[in-house]
Amino acid sequence: MHSVFENNKEAPAKLWFRLAADGLTCKNEMPKPLQTTPWYVQLLQTFAAWIASLFILAFSITFFGLLFDGLDTGFATLVGIIYAGLAVYLYRVSATNSLFLKQMAFALSLSGLLSLAYGMTDWFSPSLGGEIGLAWYFTLACILLLHWLSIEHYSHQCVMSFSFIACLVGIGYELELLELLPVLILLLFVAVWLNHAKTAKHFARINALGHMLGLWVILIQLPLLGNQTLLLDHDKFPILAQWSNGLTVAITLVILLVLIVRIFRSLSLSLSSKPGLLSVVAMLLLAGLSIVMTGLSSAVLVMIMGFYVRERAVFLLGLAGIFSFITLYYYSLQLPLLEKSIWLVALGSLLILARLLLVKLVPKEDKHGVHPNEA
């Protein structure tokens, strides 16, 4: 490997040169890549769209409040349908590269969905009792799914993906299946990224879903942390059964083993080799630590998956999750300091072992920047 993540410009050029050398392409020069918006610009655009959507809602409520008295959920539903429909029209019918129209459509879509979500709170009869939440989550999930399928705008698809997964979590909570959701989201995350390259024209849409699933793999661990930390409000935050964490760790260990085997095959190494045995020991140690430090194994899986599929954002998300779960464990005030110190020393040993594995698996470059196996 050249590095954990190869240079974005050099890797495609090398690949194109090999294809041309093997006679697999009729062009000697690589075509110019499509210009994509940097991630930080997309993040700023998403933030700006949320701010704009709130201003649009505030204007709508203020303007129509001057004309009509007692605006209710029916008004919110009507406004939501109009704004959502207008956003779809701008995206689909007025297909253009205009950044202004895309941002306007994004803001209108968010305004419409927020208004529609509030308006739907009065759709369902009180006679449904405890099923009101389930019906609301299910209906909103269907609307979000339609938007996710019909609008091809990456920032919009990220927001729709995140909100759709949130609705699935709400459905699981209403059905009292919240303990199974960490495993379900973890399996969906792995399935999406292992098949990401096969999605053809839906590549960007599935990419957005994969990133949001990675984020939810981290977030869904927070209810499990309710058993171990005083930083979360137990009255407002659901607490999951401890067996849910054990099940998540077991499934994560199996998935990590599969990923490690694939990575070793790509490096022409065997799992019975010295680096392979070190990897098995490291995974077993990680599983033991994750029983105590909730969420650690899931964050490590996200990081390794990002390494395997060469997605920098997924890799950094997993890395941020590792630091977050270690910090939350350290500030668990109900645990004795000696116990935390012992487990943190064990974590340090795991990190040293990971460093030894990287030295074995990733060869060093010489002073000319060439790997030994490339000389």
Side-chain angles (χ1 to χ4, degrees), residues 176-186 217 220-225 227-228 238-252 290-291 294-295 297-298:
E176 299 181 354
L177 297 175
L178 198 57
E179 282 82 2
L180 297 177
L181 283 176
V183 173
L184 176 61
I185 293 178
L186 191 66
V217 168
I220 199 62
Q221 302 294 328
L222 292 179
L224 286 169
L225 288 169
N227 295 327
Q228 302 177 358
I239 299 178
L240 302 187
Q242 191 59 34
W243 63 263
S244 180
N245 183 38
L247 179 62
T248 303
V249 171
I251 298 298
T252 303
S290 300
I291 297 296
T294 300
S297 62
S298 298

Side-chain angles (χ1 to χ4, degrees), residues 40-344:
Y40 50 87
V41 175
Q42 292 181 346
L43 184 62
L44 289 175
Q45 290 176 351
T46 302
F47 179 76
W50 277 106
I51 299 298
S53 66
L54 295 178
F55 274 101
I56 292 174
L57 285 178
F59 168 78
S60 301
I61 295 173
T62 303
F63 178 76
F64 288 100
L66 297 175
L67 303 177
F68 305 98
D69 295 329
L71 301 180
D72 55 7
T73 54
F75 167 78
T77 302
L78 179 61
V79 169
I81 293 174
I82 293 175
Y83 283 162
L86 182 59
V88 173
Y89 173 80
L90 289 177
Y91 274 122
R92 304 284 293 179
V93 179
S94 301
T96 178
N97 293 324
S98 173
L99 179 61
F100 172 77
L101 287 180
K102 286 184 177 180
Q103 284 297 105
M104 176 62 71
F106 191 11
L108 286 173
S109 178
L110 293 177
S111 300
L113 291 173
L114 288 174
S115 183
L116 190 58
Y118 171 71
M120 285 194 309
T121 57
D122 200 34
W123 282 18
F124 309 105
S125 172
S127 62
L128 293 175
E131 297 298 319
I132 290 181
L134 178 61
W136 186 87
Y137 282 125
F138 181 78
T139 305
L140 182 60
C142 292
I143 295 173
L144 293 172
L145 181 60
L146 289 175
H147 274 254
W148 182 76
L149 293 172
S150 60
I151 296 177
E152 297 181 359
H153 184 265
Y154 188 78
S155 297
H156 185 274
Q157 288 170 348
C158 285
V159 175
M160 295 302 103
S161 299
F162 182 89
S163 304
F164 177 75
I165 301 170
C167 288
L168 293 183
V169 174
I171 292 173
Y173 177 76
E174 293 293 333
L175 295 176
E176 299 181 354
L177 297 175
L178 198 57
E179 282 82 2
L180 297 177
L181 283 176
V183 173
L184 176 61
I185 293 178
L186 191 66
L187 293 175
L188 287 175
F189 167 76
V190 173
V192 165
W193 282 112
L194 289 183
N195 297 280
H196 184 224
K198 306 174 184 177
T199 52
K201 64 178 181 179
H202 302 293
F203 186 86
R205 184 178 287 113
I206 299 300
N207 185 277
L209 177 61
H211 282 91
M212 294 303 103
L213 281 170
L215 180 59
W216 269 103
V217 168
I218 306 298
L219 294 178
I220 199 62
Q221 302 294 328
L222 292 179
L224 286 169
L225 288 169
N227 295 327
Q228 302 177 358
T229 180
L230 298 177
L231 298 178
L232 300 177
D233 190 349
H234 291 186
D235 295 332
K236 298 180 179 179
F237 218 84
I239 299 178
L240 302 187
Q242 191 59 34
W243 63 263
S244 180
N245 183 38
L247 179 62
T248 303
V249 171
I251 298 298
T252 303
L253 187 61
V254 174
I255 297 173
L256 281 174
L257 181 60
V258 174
L259 285 179
I260 292 297
V261 170
R262 289 194 174 198
I263 292 173
F264 271 57
R265 285 179 180 175
S266 66
L267 297 174
S268 301
L269 292 174
S270 172
L271 199 61
S272 59
S273 62
K274 186 176 180 180
L277 295 177
L278 287 176
S279 300
V280 173
V281 173
M283 286 190 295
L284 293 176
L285 182 57
L286 174 65
L289 288 172
S290 300
I291 297 296
V292 179
M293 299 182 185
T294 300
L296 183 62
S297 62
S298 298
V300 170
L301 174 60
V302 173
M303 184 183 68
I304 294 180
M305 181 62 74
F307 170 84
Y308 180 70
V309 300
R310 296 182 180 276
E311 280 288 336
R312 193 186 302 271
V314 178
F315 180 86
L316 294 177
L317 180 62
L319 197 60
I322 292 173
F323 287 131
S324 300
F325 291 129
I326 293 174
T327 303
L328 287 172
Y329 175 77
Y330 181 78
Y331 286 103
S332 298
L333 301 180
Q334 73 271 30
L335 297 177
L337 183 60
L338 178 60
E339 180 181 342
K340 289 191 290 187
S341 300
I342 293 174
W343 288 109
L344 289 175

Side-chain angles (χ1 to χ4, degrees), residues 350-362:
L350 177 62
L351 293 176
I352 293 175
L353 187 58
R355 171 59 181 169
L356 294 176
L357 278 171
L358 287 176
V359 172
K360 294 288 185 180
L361 295 177
V362 182

